[in-house]
Amino acid sequence: MRIILVEDNMSLAQGIENALKDQGHAVDHLDDGLAAEEFLRTESCDVIIIDVNLPGLTGIELTRRLRQRGDATPVLMLTAMGKTSDRVAGLDAGADDYLVKPFEMAELFARLRALSRRRPQVAPQIETAGSLTYDRQQRTVYRDGERLDLPRRELSLFELLLDQRGRLLAKEHITASLYGTGAEVEANAVELLISRLRRKLEGSGVQIRTARGLGYMLDTDPA
């Protein structure tokens, strides 16, 4: 998933970001409510994690503004306040779930998985493309019944291209989705991933097409 984390406690934010990246997710971190609102006007993601007490704009107000402009992205709200009235205020503002600090990372992961399943227009759990079958729940790709060995980044790239099959994805969009906006990655990182994944998909009836200078597209009818 691509996750946006809005948290001003830098040590906690770093811990969450590292843990999520270890799980294969792309993370964008912001530490100010107003900056996050501006960022979310132009950037999309799978789940947003928002702390209640933020500088610039509170997490509750940030969530309320997201909902007012029709952004239905699932929101997990973090707070050090465990009172029922505080949780109610966040949920009434439009948050989908609440997690009280301190918490275990395993619980955070479980709540994020649950929220990702609530996304609008959820894709089917089992999807086919050419001779490939993709199990979203298990995050496993099969080719003619045999499991394909796809490392974490290649799998995330495959998921991204599959979700947008037939559409051209800009290199910048792919980079942000896989690594997070502003992440320090080598200039040719996406090209290398595309090349490795393309080789593994040869003969499957699925092809990654390149539009030079524009981006990449998954084509399930390469003939």
Side-chain angles (χ1 to χ4, degrees):
M1 293 186 289
R2 184 185 183 191
I3 299 169
I4 293 176
L5 170 64
V6 191
E7 169 63 70
D8 65 327
N9 182 319
M10 300 308 291
S11 61
L12 175 60
Q14 190 65 58
I16 293 174
E17 184 174 356
N18 289 340
L20 290 174
K21 286 182 176 179
D22 285 345
Q23 293 286 312
H25 305 297
V27 183
D28 291 293
H29 172 230
L30 299 100
D31 59 8
D32 178 90
L34 281 174
E37 187 198 18
E38 286 301 311
F39 185 80
L40 288 163
R41 286 183 181 275
T42 57
E43 296 290 336
S44 61
C45 64
D46 298 293
V47 179
I48 311 169
I49 303 173
I50 302 177
D51 184 43
V52 168
N53 294 314
L54 293 169
L57 193 68
T58 68
I60 289 175
E61 182 58 30
L62 171 58
T63 302
R64 183 177 291 114
R65 293 188 186 187
L66 290 174
R67 299 309 187 222
Q68 286 174 345
R69 65 171 183 253
D71 190 331
T73 306
V75 169
L76 173 62
M77 193 161 280
L78 305 179
T79 181
M81 302 176 290
K83 294 180 181 178
T84 300
S85 59
D86 297 321
R87 294 197 295 273
V88 169
L91 295 170
D92 283 346
D96 297 274
D97 200 359
Y98 227 97
L99 192 54
V100 179
K101 305 174 188 176
F103 53 82
E104 297 291 334
M105 287 297 174
E107 182 177 4
L108 174 67
F109 298 155
R111 288 176 183 266
L112 290 174
R113 288 194 297 271
L115 286 177
S116 71
R117 292 194 292 269
R118 300 182 198 173
R119 293 180 62 201
Q121 302 176 338
V122 175
Q125 180 177 325
I126 303 296
E127 192 160 358
T128 59
S131 62
L132 302 178
T133 301
Y134 178 50
D135 185 328
R136 291 181 182 275
Q137 182 68 27
Q138 300 297 323
R139 298 195 74 207
T140 304
V141 182
Y142 297 92
R143 177 174 174 176
D144 295 323
E146 295 290 326
R147 179 172 178 170
L148 274 184
D149 181 20
L150 296 181
R152 189 177 66 194
R153 293 290 184 202
E154 292 176 28
L155 178 60
S156 296
L157 174 61
F158 176 78
E159 289 173 329
L160 180 63
L161 292 170
L162 182 66
D163 286 343
Q164 301 294 327
R165 73 166 110 178
R167 298 179 183 177
L168 194 64
L169 295 182
K171 176 184 173 182
E172 294 77 14
H173 176 79
I174 294 174
T175 302
S177 297
L178 296 183
Y179 300 98
T181 302
E184 295 183 2
V185 296
E186 295 183 9
N188 64 341
V190 169
E191 286 90 341
L192 290 174
L193 276 176
I194 290 285
S195 178
R196 290 199 295 265
L197 180 58
R198 182 179 276 145
R199 286 197 300 270
K200 293 180 180 180
L201 299 183
E202 286 180 356
S204 68
V206 176
Q207 180 174 317
I208 301 174
R209 293 192 179 275
T210 301
R212 195 169 302 278
L214 296 176
Y216 304 93
M217 178 177 68
L218 192 73
D219 187 350
T220 54
D221 184 18

